[in-house]
Amino acid sequence: MILIYIENKEILTKIITYIENAGLSYTTDLNVEYEYLFIAELSNKVINLVNEAYENNKKIIFNTILEEINILKKNELVNQNSKNYFNKLINILDKCEKIIVSLPIYKKLLKEKTSSEIVIIGKEIPIINISRSNNDIYEKYKISKRKRKITIIDLDYDNLEIINNLSLKYKKYNFVYVGFKPDFLLKEKEKEILYKLPKNVTRVKYFNFNILSDICKISYIIINFENLKLDIKYLYMIMLFKKQFLIKESPLFYNYLINSKNCYIFKDEKELNLRFNKIIEGRVGNLTEKAYDLVKDSNFYEIVKKYSFYIR
């Protein structure tokens, strides 16, 4: 019997669904006898439950899904708050029989902090809903049909100058610029650039997963400046559509996205221009199939199989 204690309802019901389909017995009743304690977050209640379970020789499984961004961000900090966080976390990790992480970076970081077994179960690939036709997409988002589309994801206009330079240099493309920041948060120089962007730039201010799926469908290349701000399902979506994409370097994708193997990674504007130019001139390989292969098996049934295998 697995006692599942997760305060986040969305994640709780997702884990319950995996556990049910794996044919495993579970409960959410704290008063029922159990063999495993399954947790996914760090809170005072969880710490108390873990300590009690450990004292009573119960097996503890920690899926880090709700803590992963905290782990990554706090690992980059050197302060008392970060130290306190990891002290609490390691105290839990050391009591676990298994730790489930979603990406290799988290296995690497936690392996340095605990000897408990760490396994990777990636997040489930999303279900993609798109508009009925490309014409619907062009009309809905006021995007020109005539030119090839380059979609740029820059949610807070942190790279306005780069976008401006790209659109001026490559006038034969239509750049779909996804992001928004109100004028009262923009500096004068940023406002000057924003409101003088060339005519081959179409701004999409509001987006969600379905909107970005629509835009991705009609795009030739995706340039993604965002990593931690976007759920990984957006990256999965790009890969499932088999689109060429360039992504800003991030520790999040350590040993997962590999430059020139399954995607193209850039550190700065110089590298972005270099790699972008090589793609449009056909001087580099098309990596879309390799990117697709990386995620195609992260479906519901494969994840259920992994839960069935790891929890025995």
Side-chain angles (χ1 to χ4, degrees):
M1 180 69 73
I2 305 166
L3 170 60
I4 306 175
Y5 183 84
I6 301 172
E7 294 169 7
N8 181 298
K9 188 177 179 180
E10 181 183 354
I11 299 303
L12 172 61
T13 50
K14 184 182 287 268
I15 297 299
I16 284 174
T17 305
Y18 293 147
I19 296 293
E20 280 182 342
N21 281 270
L24 301 168
S25 299
Y26 75 92
T27 182
T28 56
D29 186 343
L30 297 177
N31 298 312
V32 171
E33 184 61 29
Y34 63 93
E35 180 185 359
Y36 287 92
L37 171 64
F38 193 112
I39 58 171
E41 58 217 326
L42 195 58
S43 68
N44 289 334
K45 177 66 175 177
V46 167
I47 291 170
N48 291 335
L49 281 173
V50 167
N51 288 336
E52 182 183 336
Y54 187 72
E55 288 171 6
N56 289 286
N57 297 314
K58 308 295 184 182
K59 298 172 183 176
I60 301 160
I61 299 171
F62 189 0
N63 186 321
T64 61
I65 186 168
L66 290 168
E67 292 296 327
E68 288 182 342
I69 296 301
N70 268 336
I71 290 168
L72 194 61
K73 286 182 175 179
K74 291 186 184 297
N75 188 68
E76 295 173 350
L77 300 172
V78 183
N79 57 34
Q80 192 59 44
N81 182 270
S82 173
K83 185 177 179 181
N84 291 341
Y85 175 82
F86 277 110
N87 284 341
K88 285 183 180 179
L89 181 66
I90 292 166
N91 187 261
I92 297 296
L93 298 178
D94 286 343
K95 293 180 172 72
C96 292
E97 181 185 70
K98 279 189 178 68
I99 301 161
I100 298 170
V101 298
S102 67
L103 286 168
I105 181 60
Y106 300 117
K107 182 171 183 176
K108 176 181 181 291
L109 292 177
L110 298 184
K111 203 171 181 181
E112 296 169 356
K113 302 179 185 299
T114 183
S115 58
S116 297
E117 182 183 1
I118 304 171
V119 298
I120 299 174
I121 301 180
K123 291 184 179 179
E124 186 179 341
I125 54 176
I127 296 170
I128 299 175
N129 296 307
I130 54 176
S131 296
R132 290 174 297 174
S133 70
N134 286 359
N135 283 337
D136 282 351
I137 297 171
Y138 294 132
E139 290 173 12
K140 191 186 298 184
Y141 308 112
K142 304 296 186 288
I143 297 171
S144 168
K145 297 180 185 180
R146 291 182 298 167
K147 298 178 179 180
R148 268 186 156 179
K149 313 296 175 289
I150 311 296
T151 293
I152 299 175
I153 304 169
D154 179 35
L155 301 184
D156 293 311
Y157 290 167
D158 294 323
N159 300 279
L160 273 167
E161 195 166 345
I162 296 176
I163 278 71
N164 185 56
N165 293 341
L166 271 176
S167 57
L168 285 170
K169 185 175 180 181
Y170 300 98
K171 293 183 179 178
K172 68 176 184 178
Y173 295 101
N174 179 206
F175 290 85
V176 182
Y177 191 12
V178 180
F180 181 73
K181 183 185 280 188
D183 287 355
F184 56 77
L185 292 177
L186 289 169
K187 297 175 183 175
E188 285 305 313
K189 183 180 179 182
E190 291 172 329
K191 282 192 278 188
E192 185 179 342
I193 295 171
L194 179 65
Y195 291 109
K196 289 184 179 179
L197 285 172
K199 291 183 179 179
N200 62 331
V201 178
T202 301
R203 292 167 60 199
V204 175
K205 303 175 185 69
Y206 171 73
F207 83 100
N208 56 29
F209 185 77
N210 289 337
I211 290 171
L212 206 54
S213 297
D214 274 348
I215 294 168
C216 182
K217 182 176 183 285
I218 61 168
S219 296
Y220 168 43
I221 298 171
I222 315 290
I223 300 173
N224 184 13
F225 283 94
E226 306 297 352
N227 294 307
L228 298 183
K229 293 177 188 175
L230 280 178
D231 190 280
I232 200 168
K233 69 180 180 180
Y234 288 91
L235 175 64
Y236 283 176
M237 176 260 292
I238 295 168
M239 296 157 90
L240 289 170
F241 269 123
K242 298 184 179 179
K243 297 293 179 177
Q244 292 268 39
F245 71 97
L246 294 126
I247 191 165
K248 183 79 180 285
E249 184 180 60
S250 169
L252 180 64
F253 301 123
Y254 158 83
N255 211 26
Y256 180 69
L257 293 182
I258 300 171
N259 189 39
S260 299
K261 181 178 179 181
N262 46 37
C263 72
Y264 292 105
I265 299 172
F266 62 92
K267 295 179 183 177
D268 50 31
E269 185 175 6
K270 183 180 177 181
E271 279 197 359
L272 171 59
N273 276 299
L274 178 67
R275 303 195 194 293
F276 180 78
N277 203 49
K278 284 183 176 181
I279 291 174
I280 63 174
E281 291 181 359
R283 292 189 288 124
V284 290
N286 187 323
L287 306 179
T288 56
E289 287 293 338
K290 290 180 180 177
Y292 176 79
D293 288 341
L294 193 62
V295 298
K296 65 182 175 65
D297 291 330
S298 293
N299 58 55
F300 175 81
Y301 301 102
E302 290 301 317
I303 290 174
V304 167
K305 282 182 188 176
K306 288 179 180 179
Y307 272 96
S308 180
F309 177 78
Y310 287 127
I311 304 175
R312 292 184 287 178

